[in-house]
């Protein structure tokens, strides 16, 4: 196992060198330096290039040797492959302990490249340097505002750590982070993973105080047993979410035994995840939403869910979604039923889903939510219907009658109410220690709606549909159940 | 390289590890088959058994529900007559005929990436079409085994079924743990099939076994 301080050099460097900085704004050597500076990296930034031209105001040196010693922990390498060994040796001599390599032409380029890649791994070993890549996209670390990568974006700060065998997925997860407001601690693409693999990052994230949840994209686990051991150890501490590509290939095989033909690659992988306590998601958005839920909601103590909705149909489909999971729709206990009766006109659903049936007055939503979440038999709540009032407000604001006819006042009231409902949901969740998931398509249809906007401001995810909220909640419960059954 | 053990040897090897396998007698001719059937009690099943014989059902080498000595005599003669030269040394395996509506299967398989795995699935002739299975890496804990049972999609098969009691989930889970333990204790085991495992009076009993060992 690679020692943690090497990863600190990668994720929390005191200074960074961009080797191969370019003045051409289309080149990786320019873009990466731009991104480091633009994100506001807190450490010192150095650069080298062939002619010593300054780039973006950073004085470049021709040689690593001309840079001061002991000031940079990380080198971000954008040079052609041929220059890499020399860059790494010189950097090691200057006290650099970690390198990220964007350089291509290694294992992905054929047998000769594969030999070079093996030599690169040996050199990393010899220098005692953490060498990430080659052919990687970059590394992001929000605690130090580091955005050393050859592509966008730079995500909001949060506690999800991403490691991926594909750089594109790092970008995708960070784009979801921007959209949802649920942020990232570290993010790294392993590139060809010559010396450092996704498994190694998982080991670091498990120990990393800035990280609450690991999120991993995998295509293959070449050393499956070691991946399993590491993932299991990591998941014993904090949630690990995995999405895997390539599940449909290599599934069928000829085998002499029934067991052999039924134990397809994907079923083995799936069983491995369950055994390790790893949350496996089937799609990219499901993976992000599971991670975002782990990062922002308490784990449920049990599987009994109450759905609270301001409109009937949503409640029905959410109940269907719950039936397809390991969650359970709680039969409302008599005392809770009686308590809700006090708050609502008689036409409310009087069962779960709790359909308020338009019987709300100013304080009904937070009051009923508090009654539900506060009940000892309730483990989690799904709240539907947020933002309806503000959606009407939006139409009023845009229409020809605004602000006359009392519209200004009612629009402000609607928006204030949705804002308040979202904040109350978060407060009640914090106070009860129970997950409360808010779902509305307005999270996507109108992100500026006061409801979803306030959910984001509380740091939580506003789920784009109730079934997606249910799937995420099911992942939380299954992880909790795994822990409970094993005394973790 | 690997070779498969005969059903009798496979079943003895796994039975010795505490896995519930059907009892049997191994005999060489029809007369001995008759006395074996008498000892075991009717009805019985008779099969042609040998190291080189893996797919008995496909070749018609299994005769089930033999209710009388005459049934056994006919089956024994026919089975012995169906042996081919490349089957090598063959015997007749006589075993109690176990009846039950539900069939499961379990096994061991060495995966290229993750090493030895243990599997539980819904059995019967549609097993591979239905493919309702759960897999774990060896070794498994009892909790892992319980979760394998819980993970099968066809849970209704494990409840009370057509007049038969619910499956004893604990025994099923214990079977899986023992299968996993057997592969740990005997690293020469490359793979194993318990297929089918018949649920009889709610309890799992393997009525066929095939073990593949490294040579």
């Amino acid at each position: 196992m690679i020692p943690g301080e090497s990863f600190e050099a990668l994720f929390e460097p005191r200074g960074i060198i961009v080797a191969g900085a370019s003045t051409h704004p289309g080149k990786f050597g320019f873009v990466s330096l731009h991104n480091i500076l633009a994100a506001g990296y807190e450490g010192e930034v150095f650069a080298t290039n062939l002619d010593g031209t300054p780039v973006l105001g950073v004085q470049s040196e021709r040689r690593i040797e001309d840079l001061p010693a002991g000031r940079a922990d990380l080198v971000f390498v954008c040079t052609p492959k041929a220059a890499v060994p020399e860059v790494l040796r010189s950097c090691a001599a200057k006290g650099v302990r970690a390198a990220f390599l964007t350089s291509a032409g290694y294992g992905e380029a054929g047998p000769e490249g594969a030999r070079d890649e093996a030599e690169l791994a040996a050199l990393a070993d010899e220098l005692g340097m953490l060498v990430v890549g080659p052919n990687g996209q970059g590394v992001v670390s929000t605690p130090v505002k580091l955005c050393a990568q050859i592509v966008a974006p730079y995500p909001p700060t949060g506690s999800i750590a991403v490691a991926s065998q594909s750089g594109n997925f790092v970008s995708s997860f960070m784009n979801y982070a921007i959209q949802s407001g649920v942020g990232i601690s570290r993010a790294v693409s392993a590139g060809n993973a010559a010396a450092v693999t996704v498994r190694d990052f998982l080991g670091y994230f498990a120990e990393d105080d800035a990280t609450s949840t690991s999120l991993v994209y995998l295509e293959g686990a070449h050393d499956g047993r070691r991946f399993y051991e590491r993932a299991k150890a990591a998941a014993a501490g904090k949630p690990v979410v995995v999405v895997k590509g390539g599940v449909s290939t290599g599934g069928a095989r000829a085998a002499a035994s029934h067991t052999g033909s039924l134990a397809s690659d994907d079923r083995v992988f799936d069983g491995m995840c369950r055994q390790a306590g790893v949350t496996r998601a089937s799609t990219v958005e499901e993976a992000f939403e599971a991670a975002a839920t782990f990062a922002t909601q308490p784990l449920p103590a049990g599987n009994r869910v109450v759905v609270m909705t301001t409109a009937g149909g949503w409640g029905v489909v959410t109940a269907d979604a719950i039936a397809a999971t390991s969650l359970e729709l709680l039969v409302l206990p008599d005392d809770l039923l009686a308590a809700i009766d006090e708050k609502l006109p008689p036409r409310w659903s009087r069962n779960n889903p709790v359909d308020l049936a338009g019987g709300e007055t100013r304080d009904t939503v937070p009051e009923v939510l508090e009654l539900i979440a506060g009940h000892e038999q309730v483990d989690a709540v799904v709240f539907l219907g947020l933002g309806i009032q503000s959606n009407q407000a939006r139409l009023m604001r845009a229409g020809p009658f605004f602000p006359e006819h009392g519209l200004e006042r009612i629009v402000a009231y609607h928006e204030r109410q949705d804002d308040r409902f979202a904040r109350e949901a978060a407060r009640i969740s914090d106070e009860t220690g129970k997950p409360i998931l808010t779902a509305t398509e307005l999270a996507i249809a109108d992100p500026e709606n006061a409801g979803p906007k306030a959910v984001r401001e509380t740091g939580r995810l506003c789920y784009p549909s109730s079934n997606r909220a249910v799937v995420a909640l099911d992942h939380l419960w299954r992880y909790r159940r795994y822990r409970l059954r094993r005394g973790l | 390289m690997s070779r498969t053990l005969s059903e009798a040897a496979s079943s003895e090897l796994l039975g010795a590890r505490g896995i519930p396998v059907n009892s049997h007698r191994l005999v060489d001719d029809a007369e001995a088959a008759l006395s074996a059937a008498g000892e075991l009690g009717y009805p019985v099943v008779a099969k042609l058994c040998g190291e080189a014989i893996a797919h008995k059902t496909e070749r018609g080498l299994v005769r089930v529900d033999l209710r009388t000595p005459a049934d056994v005599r006919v089956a024994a003669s026919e089975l012995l007559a169906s042996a081919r030269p490349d089957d090598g040394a063959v015997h007749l395996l006589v075993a109690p005929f176990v009846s039950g509506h539900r069939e499961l299967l379990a096994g061991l398989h060495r995966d290229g990436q993750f090493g030895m795995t243990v599997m539980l699935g819904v059995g019967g002739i549609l097993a591979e079409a239905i493919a309702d299975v759960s897999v774990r890496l060896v070794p498994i804990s009892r909790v892992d085994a319980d979760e394998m049972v819980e993970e099968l999609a066809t849970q209704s098969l494990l409840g009370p079924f057509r007049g038969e009691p619910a499956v004893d989930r604990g025994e099923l889970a214990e079977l899986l743990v023992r299968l996993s333990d057997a592969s740990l204790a005997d690293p020469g085991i490359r793979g194993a099939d318990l297929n089918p495992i018949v649920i009889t009076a709610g309890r799992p009993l393997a009525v066929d076994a095939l073990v593949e060992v490294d040579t």
Side-chain angles (χ1 to χ4, degrees):
Chain A
M1 191 165 162
I2 299 162
E5 56 263 35
S6 307
F7 286 100
E8 269 153 37
L10 177 71
F11 288 114
E12 303 209 349
R14 288 167 303 161
I16 179 171
I17 301 165
V18 175
S22 171
T23 53
H24 189 302
K27 301 263 193 195
F28 291 165
F30 179 97
V31 176
S32 52
L33 183 59
H34 171 272
N35 291 350
I36 290 167
L37 297 171
Y41 170 58
E42 291 171 345
E44 287 189 280
V45 181
F46 306 94
T48 61
N49 56 26
L50 286 176
D51 47 10
T53 323
V55 182
L56 294 169
V58 176
Q59 174 58 50
S60 296
E61 301 294 343
R62 287 191 173 80
R63 294 151 19 105
I64 303 279
E65 284 80 353
D66 299 331
L67 293 172
R71 304 257 291 271
D73 294 316
L74 172 65
V75 59
F76 193 84
V77 183
C78 298
T79 65
K81 188 180 76 170
V84 169
E86 181 52 31
V87 167
L88 294 185
R89 286 184 187 283
S90 313
C91 281
K94 291 285 177 187
V96 171
R97 292 173 297 140
F100 192 98
L101 270 57
T102 63
S103 318
Y106 288 90
E108 82 282 5
E112 197 180 321
R115 269 198 302 281
D116 293 339
E117 194 167 306
E119 280 172 22
L120 179 67
L123 179 61
D125 226 30
E126 178 199 326
L127 299 175
M129 191 185 265
L130 185 82
V131 175
V132 184
N135 196 26
Q137 184 170 290
V139 55
V140 164
S141 181
T142 58
V144 294
K145 300 193 179 128
L146 178 65
C147 180
Q149 51 174 1
I150 56 176
V151 289
Y154 181 68
T157 302
S159 66
I160 300 173
V162 177
S164 174
Q165 285 180 343
S166 155
N168 302 143
F169 279 95
V170 178
S171 299
S172 298
F173 289 136
M174 293 196 297
N175 286 328
Y176 282 126
I178 290 170
Q179 182 200 23
S180 66
V182 180
I184 301 292
S185 55
R186 329 280 190 186
V188 63
S189 79
N192 293 3
V196 188
T197 67
V198 164
R199 182 181 73 228
D200 299 313
F201 290 116
L202 210 44
Y204 173 71
F205 295 159
E207 304 295 323
D208 176 24
D209 289 339
T211 295
S212 71
T213 307
S214 302
L215 175 55
V216 168
Y217 173 77
L218 276 185
E219 275 168 16
H222 295 296
D223 194 344
R225 268 292 157 159
R226 287 174 67 195
F227 182 84
Y228 166 67
E229 302 292 349
R230 185 66 57 80
K232 187 173 185 175
K238 52 181 96 159
V240 176
V241 179
V242 169
V243 61
K244 184 174 184 294
V247 299
S248 57
T249 54
R253 66 171 125 219
S257 68
H258 294 272
T259 304
S261 63
L262 282 166
S264 67
D265 291 350
D266 190 58
R267 294 196 186 105
V268 172
F269 185 83
D270 199 69
M272 182 278 293
C273 288
R274 290 169 189 264
Q275 196 172 358
V278 164
T279 298
R280 187 183 182 194
S282 52
T283 64
V284 181
E285 63 268 26
E286 182 185 324
F288 180 80
E289 285 166 9
T293 309
F294 278 119
T296 60
Q297 297 273 357
L299 288 179
N303 71 337
R304 297 165 300 181
V305 183
V306 171
V307 178
M308 186 181 107
T309 175
T310 58
W314 287 333
V316 177
V317 298
T318 309
D320 290 343
I322 286 171
T325 67
S326 57
L327 301 169
E328 197 181 293
L329 203 62
L330 176 72
V331 176
L332 291 186
D334 290 342
D335 58 337
L336 181 55
L337 204 65
I340 300 174
D341 270 336
E342 298 288 312
K343 301 285 180 192
L344 286 170
R347 68 171 182 276
W348 79 280
S349 63
R350 302 199 85 253
N351 61 21
N352 186 8
V354 173
D355 180 0
L356 305 181
E360 310 93 282
T361 57
R362 200 183 76 93
D363 297 322
T364 313
V365 167
E367 283 178 359
V368 175
L369 195 54
E370 189 139 33
L371 284 176
I372 293 169
H375 196 278
E376 57 171 8
Q377 287 184 40
V378 176
D379 298 312
V381 182
V382 176
F383 168 38
L384 310 172
L386 183 73
I388 295 178
Q389 293 183 338
S390 299
N391 207 30
Q392 178 57 44
R394 181 190 185 186
L395 198 53
M396 285 173 162
R397 200 193 284 280
F401 304 106
F402 187 83
E404 309 303 325
H405 310 279
L407 292 183
E408 186 167 25
R409 188 158 161 267
I410 194 73
V411 160
Y413 172 73
H414 285 333
E415 290 176 345
R416 207 162 54 239
Q417 283 287 84
D418 279 319
D419 180 275
R420 178 175 157 236
F421 296 164
R423 291 177 201 283
E424 285 289 277
R427 176 189 65 80
I428 295 166
S429 168
D430 285 338
E431 283 178 11
T432 56
K434 298 176 184 179
I436 299 180
L437 282 66
T438 304
T440 166
E441 73 288 349
L442 288 165
I444 294 175
D446 182 14
E448 290 311 303
N449 180 296
K453 189 159 175 270
V455 176
R456 287 199 304 278
E457 284 168 8
T458 65
R460 297 189 181 221
L461 183 60
C462 189
Y463 300 82
S465 71
S466 61
N467 56 298
R468 282 161 74 165
V470 167
V471 167
L473 183 58
D474 186 41
H475 282 310
L476 259 63
W477 162 240
R478 290 200 291 175
Y479 178 66
R480 182 58 181 266
R481 187 176 65 183
Y482 177 91
R483 302 185 65 85
L484 288 171
R485 285 175 172 172
R486 290 161 179 81
L488 291 171
Chain B
M1 287 299 290
S2 71
R3 66 187 176 96
T4 53
L5 303 182
S6 72
E7 178 183 343
S10 298
S11 150
E12 279 156 24
L13 187 151
L14 297 175
R17 299 278 175 197
I19 293 160
V21 291
N22 199 11
S23 54
H24 68 259
R25 300 280 189 280
L26 210 51
V27 298
D28 289 323
D29 55 39
E31 286 312 312
L34 278 176
S35 55
E39 287 168 32
L40 293 165
Y42 287 89
V44 296
V45 52
K47 312 180 197 181
L48 195 67
C49 178
E51 288 201 357
I53 303 175
H55 296 286
K56 291 182 288 288
T57 312
E58 288 84 338
R59 282 181 54 192
L61 302 181
V62 181
R63 304 296 163 87
V64 301
D65 202 10
L66 307 174
R67 290 162 185 269
T68 64
D71 288 347
V72 172
R73 190 184 300 278
V74 171
S77 318
E78 286 179 1
L79 286 171
L80 286 169
S82 358
R84 297 176 190 154
D86 57 353
D87 288 338
V90 295
H91 305 279
L92 284 171
L93 184 149
V94 183
F97 175 62
V98 177
S99 65
H101 293 301
R102 291 166 289 186
E103 292 185 351
L104 301 175
L105 61 86
L108 295 166
H109 173 72
R110 202 180 285 165
D111 181 76
Q113 288 194 343
F114 290 97
M116 188 57 81
T117 63
V118 56
M119 190 206 71
L120 171 70
V122 171
I125 54 168
L126 297 178
E128 270 152 29
I130 295 170
D132 182 5
V133 302
S134 61
V135 185
R136 295 292 186 274
L137 312 189
V138 168
I140 56 169
S141 66
R142 175 57 193 267
V143 174
D144 293 327
D146 289 336
E147 289 181 346
M148 289 177 76
V149 176
E150 180 185 276
E151 188 184 321
L152 291 182
T154 320
Q155 286 293 311
S156 54
L157 212 54
L158 303 180
F161 186 82
R162 301 186 70 159
E164 295 177 5
V167 175
D168 185 328
R169 287 166 177 265
E171 280 213 23
L172 196 52
E174 202 49 48
L175 181 155
L176 295 170
V177 170
R178 287 181 183 174
L179 202 49
S180 162
D181 288 349
S183 93
L184 278 188
D186 188 347
I189 297 178
R190 170 178 288 221
D193 260 353
L194 295 173
N195 182 26
I197 293 169
V198 173
I199 303 300
T200 177
R203 306 176 70 175
L205 182 67
V207 301
D208 197 355
L210 178 70
V211 173
E212 188 184 359
V213 293
D214 290 324
T215 51

